[in-house]
Amino acid sequence: MAVGFGLFPLGLAFGVLLTQSGLAWWWAPVFSMMIYAGSLEFLAIGLLLAMTPLAQVALTAFMVNFRHVFYALSFPLHKVRGPLARTYSMYALTDESYAVTATRPEAELTGGRVLGIQMFCQLYWVGGGIAGALVGLAIPGRVEGLDFALTALFAVLAVDAFRVRRDVPTPVLALACAIGALFVPSGAFLVVAMGAFTVVLLARYGVRRTRLRRSAPRVRPSAQDSGSPDGADVREGDA
């Protein structure tokens, strides 16, 4: 329900923007079922109106949704049973469903709960899009600033994740990577920023793992326990 308070108004904004861009209202459920990626759906409106070539659309979709590759590494798909259910869960993986499952202890997550989270997220989004498209037909003129709704939702999800884990270096590193990507002379800001952030996180993980290994206590097993005549030193956890 908490995610619905953010997703339904966001879908509403998408629907209004869609119809006020000159598209028919039924494009809202088509986008929300065939694409089902909030940021890409906002971009798809402009791409469709500009008659963008298919290859450019594919490249844009890859760059915008590239982050889902990293979501899949830790999303609890193993909790979902059955080929149809797992296929839907892969299709319905979004920023919001990932953010909700990532902040829950794994012991609390069942396959039904994971699917329920994803189904409700999609219902909020599709329902909001249809409602917004119909409302947009009745609003005279053009409403400005609706395309910022997605950015606002991401900001709220980031704040909520920080409240759960209180990991200060992570948002600082993310901000640094985003600022650095602004100075790269290419049109792929999101890919550059996410790629740099991933490299930094992997490096940080490697450093922390190395420090833990170095600080691990040494134990000296007895000659009888180790089977070694001189009772050679071994590190805890080598087995």
Side-chain angles (χ1 to χ4, degrees):
M1 290 180 63
V3 174
F5 286 120
L7 266 183
F8 187 85
L10 182 62
L12 196 70
F14 166 72
V16 173
L17 181 63
L18 182 141
T19 52
Q20 292 203 339
S21 298
L23 297 175
W25 71 269
W26 49 265
W27 276 106
V30 170
F31 277 34
S32 298
M33 297 298 295
M34 298 299 295
I35 303 175
Y36 192 41
S39 53
L40 185 59
E41 288 184 46
F42 276 90
L43 288 175
I45 296 176
L47 296 175
L48 183 63
L49 293 176
M51 300 295 291
T52 306
L54 185 59
Q56 187 174 343
V57 173
L59 180 60
T60 302
F62 175 78
M63 291 191 298
V64 172
N65 290 331
F66 187 72
R67 64 191 183 278
H68 286 216
V69 174
F70 306 104
Y71 290 169
L73 297 177
S74 56
F75 185 75
L77 183 64
H78 61 281
K79 295 281 187 175
V80 181
R81 303 298 180 186
L84 292 178
R86 290 172 68 90
T87 300
Y88 173 78
S89 184
M90 288 185 285
Y91 152 77
L93 176 58
T94 60
D95 301 283
E96 294 77 21
S97 60
Y98 177 81
V100 173
T101 56
T103 56
R104 296 288 183 276
E106 187 172 345
E108 296 182 4
L109 292 174
T110 62
R113 189 171 186 182
V114 171
L115 287 175
I117 291 171
Q118 293 183 289
M119 291 176 65
F120 272 103
C121 284
Q122 188 166 21
L123 286 175
Y124 294 141
W125 177 255
V126 176
I130 295 175
L134 297 177
V135 170
L137 294 175
I139 297 178
R142 181 177 176 82
V143 181
E144 300 293 338
L146 292 177
D147 51 350
F148 185 74
L150 189 69
T151 304
L153 178 62
F154 285 165
V156 171
L157 290 175
V159 171
D160 186 53
F162 179 76
R163 288 177 175 175
V164 173
R165 302 200 176 183
R166 299 285 180 179
D167 185 12
V168 176
T170 297
V172 172
L173 292 172
L175 180 61
C177 292
I179 294 176
L182 291 174
F183 297 96
V184 177
S186 67
F189 164 78
L190 187 60
V191 173
V192 173
M194 289 291 292
F197 187 48
T198 303
V199 171
V200 170
L201 288 181
L202 289 174
R204 182 187 175 198
Y205 173 77
V207 170
R208 293 178 65 180
R209 189 174 180 86
T210 301
R211 288 178 178 175
L212 287 176
R213 287 180 176 177
R214 291 178 177 177
S215 61
R218 291 172 175 267
V219 295
R220 181 185 292 274
S222 63
Q224 181 180 0
D225 293 339
S226 64
S228 172
D230 55 357
D233 288 349
V234 296
R235 285 192 176 184
E236 182 179 14
D238 281 349

